[in-house]
């Protein structure tokens, strides 16, 4: 079969959000290549199956990608659709990022329990919540940053798909006053009306790659790479590659409290770019703010770099520079404390599970 007639299979996790995101990519490909045949495949990953432990204790981002990458490398599927924030910064051998789509919203949002009031007043912001109010989130990044500004609030892990988490929130007997959720996920699943307010810097810096979709392909699959050219949004790609380079240098994963904020503005500077994918002869002013925050919120470092870049490689260089400056001003010590805290909590969790097993036995 010629490459032009080859059926292209897109895969992703089996969650509702992952399927919605896959169909966003699928529809774009069908519109760009109406004569091609595309199909989908959905599967559960380890991150979907283990809902009993906090994400902070589960390990790296491969929880969400490993099974999909095995299928990709085995030739069972041709493209894997991810939320970019779930993709490890170091790609497995034989895999590559084929496309990064246009980011919708990178920020996090506050979602308040239905009917929840404080002294008869509607809760509109985090400032309206009383001391001791419980915020549900599975992100150590969110907890760490919010503890800095709202030390009187309490934070509790919450897992499950979006509807499950919202049901836990709205349960009158449940502990949660509000949740912190990624805005893009809420909108893609039709829950935009539940957004109470967006939480933006300097209060909360979002996760690396948050809000953007990515397509992973086999590194040697020239046809898949060609098809991905119709998906790539170079402005988002440059921003996200800078963010990922920052995280890569910090050796971080989904369990590291690293937050970022990027802005990119094209500038009228004629520059010859060696890349395709819609970049052309362009340049842009790229600004990246990177942060690292201790789990208890007591220590925080922040760095910002802004310059004109004319390629994705230069964007990555900027991201790496931000990371190195963060390390130099105390970031390394914070990351070491985070790792020690995670090891201690993991040991405590395993000891508790062992004790429960003995009791049940």
């Amino acid at each position: 079969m010629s490459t032009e007639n080859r059926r292209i299979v897109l895969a992703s996790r089996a969650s509702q959000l992952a399927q919605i995101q896959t169909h966003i990519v699928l529809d774009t490909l069908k519109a760009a290549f109406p004569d091609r045949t595309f199909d989908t495949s959905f599967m559960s990953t380890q991150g979907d199956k283990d809902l009993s432990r906090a994400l902070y204790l589960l390990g790296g981002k491969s929880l969400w990608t490993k099974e999909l990458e095995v299928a990709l490398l085995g030739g069972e599927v041709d493209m894997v659709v991810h939320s970019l924030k779930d993709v490890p910064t170091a790609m497995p051998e034989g895999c590559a990022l084929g496309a990064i789509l246009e980011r919708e919203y990178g920020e996090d949002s506050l979602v308040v329990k239905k009917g929840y009031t404080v002294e008869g007043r509607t809760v509109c912001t985090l400032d309206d919540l009383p001391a001791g109010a419980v915020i549900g989130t599975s992100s150590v990044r969110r907890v760490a940053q919010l503890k800095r500004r709202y030390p009187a609030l309490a934070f509790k892990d919450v897992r499950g798909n979006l509807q499950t988490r919202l049901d836990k929130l709205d349960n009158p007997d449940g502990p949660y006053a509000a949740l912190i959720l990624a805005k893009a996920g809420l909108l893609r699943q039709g829950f935009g009306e539940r957004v109470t307010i967006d939480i933006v810097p300097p209060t909360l810096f979002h996760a690396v790659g948050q809000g953007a979709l990515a397509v992973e392909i086999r590194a040697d699959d020239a046809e898949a790479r060609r098809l991905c050219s119709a998906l790539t949004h170079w402005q988002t790609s440059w921003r996200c590659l800078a963010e990922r380079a920052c995280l890569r240098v910090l050796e971080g994963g989904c369990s590291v409290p690293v937050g970022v904020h990027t802005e990119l503005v094209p500038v009228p500077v004629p520059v010859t770019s060696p890349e395709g994918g819609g970049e052309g002869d362009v340049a842009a002013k790229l600004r990246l703010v990177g942060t690292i925050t201790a789990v208890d919120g007591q220590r925080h470092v922040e760095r910002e770099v802004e310059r004109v870049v004319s390629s994705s490689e230069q964007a990555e260089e900027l991201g790496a520079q931000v990371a190195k400056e963060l390390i130099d001003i105390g970031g390394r010590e914070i990351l070491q404390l985070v790792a020690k805290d995670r090891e201690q909590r993991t040991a405590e969790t395993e000891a508790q599970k062992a004790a429960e097993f003995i009791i049940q036995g």
Side-chain angles (χ1 to χ4, degrees), residues 148-168:
R148 290 185 64 223
R149 296 177 181 272
Y150 300 95
L153 295 179
F155 298 89
K156 182 177 175 64
D157 190 66
V158 58
R159 297 287 306 279
N161 62 36
L162 179 55
Q163 186 62 67
T164 298
R165 283 179 282 172
L166 291 174
D167 289 343
K168 291 178 180 179

Side-chain angles (χ1 to χ4, degrees), residues 13 60-65 68-69 80-92 95-97 99-100 208-209 212-216 244 247-248 252-254:
R13 295 160 57 193
K61 296 186 178 185
S62 61
L63 285 166
W64 312 111
T65 62
L68 292 162
E69 288 165 342
V80 179
V81 179
H82 300 288
S83 292
L84 183 58
K85 72 174 182 178
D86 294 334
V87 179
T89 55
M91 305 297 293
C95 296
L97 278 181
I100 297 177
V208 166
L213 300 181
V215 177
E216 186 176 6
R244 285 170 58 80
L247 186 60
R248 186 183 304 116
C254 59

Side-chain angles (χ1 to χ4, degrees), residues 231-258:
L231 301 170
T232 297
H233 185 255
W234 70 266
Q235 296 94 327
T236 299
S237 182
W238 287 13
R239 290 173 60 191
C240 290
L241 289 173
E243 295 171 12
R244 285 170 58 80
C246 179
L247 186 60
R248 186 183 304 116
V249 172
L250 296 175
E251 298 182 351
C254 59
S255 299
V256 175
V258 173

Side-chain angles (χ1 to χ4, degrees), residues 117-361:
T117 59
V118 176
E119 297 180 351
R121 297 192 303 273
T122 300
V123 173
C124 298
T125 69
L126 285 166
D127 295 297
D128 298 330
L129 292 169
V134 177
I135 306 297
T137 176
S138 299
S139 164
V140 66
R141 169 188 57 84
R142 293 170 182 149
V143 172
Q145 292 187 55
L146 292 177
K147 277 185 176 180
R148 290 185 64 223
R149 296 177 181 272
Y150 300 95
L153 295 179
F155 298 89
K156 182 177 175 64
D157 190 66
V158 58
R159 297 287 306 279
N161 62 36
L162 179 55
Q163 186 62 67
T164 298
R165 283 179 282 172
L166 291 174
D167 289 343
K168 291 178 180 179
L169 168 67
D170 293 332
N171 183 346
D173 299 322
Y176 305 102
L179 303 180
I180 307 293
L181 299 165
K183 183 173 184 177
L186 284 162
L187 295 180
R188 287 172 186 153
Q189 294 178 82
F191 289 99
E193 79 283 353
R194 291 304 306 265
V195 174
T196 302
I197 193 171
D198 296 332
I199 310 176
V200 298
T203 301
L204 184 58
F205 290 84
H206 63 72
V208 166
Q210 184 163 306
L213 300 181
V215 177
E216 186 176 6
I217 61 174
R218 290 182 291 276
D220 61 355
D221 191 339
E223 177 64 4
R225 191 177 294 277
R226 183 183 74 82
L227 296 176
C228 281
S229 65
L231 301 170
T232 297
H233 185 255
W234 70 266
Q235 296 94 327
T236 299
S237 182
W238 287 13
R239 290 173 60 191
C240 290
L241 289 173
E243 295 171 12
R244 285 170 58 80
C246 179
L247 186 60
R248 186 183 304 116
V249 172
L250 296 175
E251 298 182 351
C254 59
S255 299
V256 175
V258 173
V260 294
H261 173 74
T262 50
E263 297 174 2
L264 184 142
V265 179
V267 295
V269 178
V271 178
T272 300
S273 172
E275 302 181 356
E279 294 181 22
D281 294 335
V282 296
K285 181 181 292 185
L286 176 60
R287 172 175 173 259
L288 169 60
V289 183
T291 68
I292 308 173
T293 311
V295 177
D296 61 4
Q298 295 299 306
R299 298 182 63 181
H300 174 86
V301 291
E302 186 173 316
R303 227 23 166 202
E304 174 184 337
V305 174
E306 178 181 298
R307 74 166 70 104
V308 172
V309 298
S310 58
S311 69
S312 56
E313 289 83 4
Q314 290 182 6
E316 291 184 296
E317 290 170 2
L318 184 149
Q321 179 183 340
V322 171
K324 291 172 183 176
E325 293 186 10
L326 285 169
I327 289 172
D328 290 342
I329 61 173
R332 186 188 307 279
E333 289 76 12
I334 295 176
L335 291 175
Q336 290 172 344
L337 289 173
V338 170
K340 184 177 181 180
D341 177 80
R342 183 166 55 248
E343 290 173 2
Q344 180 178 342
R345 295 195 195 187
T346 300
E348 292 172 352
T349 299
E350 294 302 322
Q352 181 179 356
K353 288 174 62 178
E356 291 174 351
F357 177 80
I358 292 173
I359 292 173
Q360 292 172 358

